Amino acid sequence: QEELPPSRPVLGDLSVTSITPSSVQLQWSVPEGSFDSFMLQYRDAQGQPQALPIDGGSHSVTVPGLSPSQRYRFHLYGLRGRKKIDHVSTEAVTGTEESEEMHLPSEEQKHEKLQTETPPFEAPLLRAVLEELKVSSVTPSSVQLQWSVPEGSFDSFMLQYRDAQGQPQALPIDGGSRSVTVPGLSPSQRYRFHLYGLRGRKKIDRVSTDIITGEME
């Protein structure tokens, strides 16, 4: 018993930072110690349990593929090795289909207003460049991707791909992120991912990669 680690890592609040009809962005803090990794668990609209592995250095995650106007309960576990050390939970209700349409035009108007106030000759000097979309880990049901931005910066990113049924999926990603975990994939399946770098809602640059998910054991 004397050999227990002196500092037991602690998970802070799990809070919702943004909501769309099909995704939720969550963030949390680790006020004490550190975790090797995190695991987010929730049930989808059909009641099926979902588990999303998250890198130990991350303090936020976007959960894609949700259904509109639906209540979800999210449980975040902090892991040392494969052992769950601490856990926090929160609930979120996804947006309605209409709310996205109402929200987007106002964003667009905001960007248009900014653009009209800037004389054309004051175009930004620094172009933003995306580089190397790489796979950092693969499981039968998820893929972790990472990329770099050697020049300039983007307001946000958008990852697009088709699921195993051929349906297009779009995953919005925060502009400060350089990696993302894509959950809900099918085993032994080839996927093509396209990552777009956005300024406002305009796609500035793009990188792509192909991967094959792991086999079911």
Side-chain angles (χ1 to χ4, degrees):
Q1 284 185 344
E2 288 82 11
E3 287 182 25
L4 283 173
S7 146
R8 178 174 176 271
V10 175
L11 268 174
D13 289 333
L14 182 62
S15 57
V16 179
T17 51
S18 76
I19 291 180
T20 76
S22 63
S23 71
V24 167
Q25 191 174 33
L26 303 168
Q27 69 176 34
W28 58 92
S29 60
V30 181
E32 210 176 302
S34 66
F35 294 97
D36 297 337
S37 65
F38 302 100
M39 176 69 74
L40 186 76
Q41 293 185 342
Y42 63 99
R43 287 183 184 273
D44 64 20
Q46 288 72 47
Q48 294 302 305
Q50 300 290 331
L52 176 53
I54 303 162
D55 180 72
S58 299
H59 287 157
S60 73
V61 68
T62 300
V63 187
L66 305 180
S67 299
S69 309
Q70 188 84 23
R71 178 179 294 279
Y72 290 90
R73 185 156 182 78
F74 297 99
H75 305 282
L76 181 76
Y77 296 89
L79 279 70
R80 279 268 176 92
R82 299 176 76 179
K83 192 180 176 196
K84 293 173 178 173
I85 305 289
D86 199 4
H87 130 249
V88 283
S89 301
T90 192
E91 286 190 10
V93 178
T94 45
T96 59
E97 293 283 14
E98 296 79 38
S99 72
E100 186 167 45
E101 270 139 37
M102 283 162 54
H103 169 69
L104 291 175
S106 64
E107 284 291 310
E108 202 164 46
Q109 284 157 13
K110 195 164 74 180
H111 289 301
E112 277 169 12
K113 187 167 179 285
L114 285 173
Q115 282 160 7
T116 52
E117 285 170 359
T118 309
F121 55 83
E122 283 186 26
L125 297 172
L126 251 189
R127 69 193 188 107
V129 176
L130 259 178
E131 223 169 67
E132 282 194 305
L133 183 61
K134 293 189 300 197
V135 179
S136 50
S137 74
V138 175
T139 76
S141 63
S142 72
V143 168
Q144 191 174 35
L145 302 168
Q146 62 182 39
W147 59 92
S148 60
V149 181
E151 202 177 314
S153 65
F154 295 97
D155 297 338
S156 65
F157 301 100
M158 177 70 73
L159 187 75
Q160 293 186 341
Y161 64 100
R162 287 183 184 274
D163 63 21
Q165 288 72 46
Q167 294 302 306
Q169 300 289 332
L171 176 53
I173 304 162
D174 180 73
S177 298
R178 295 291 180 270
S179 72
V180 68
T181 300
V182 187
L185 306 181
S186 298
S188 308
Q189 186 84 23
R190 179 182 291 278
Y191 290 89
R192 186 159 181 76
F193 295 99
H194 305 284
L195 182 76
Y196 296 89
L198 280 69
R199 282 267 178 87
R201 294 179 68 199
K202 192 179 175 198
K203 292 173 177 171
I204 305 290
D205 201 2
R206 177 192 123 175
V207 281
S208 301
T209 193
D210 278 304
I211 67 100
I212 296 175
T213 46
E215 292 178 16
M216 270 301 203
E217 288 175 14

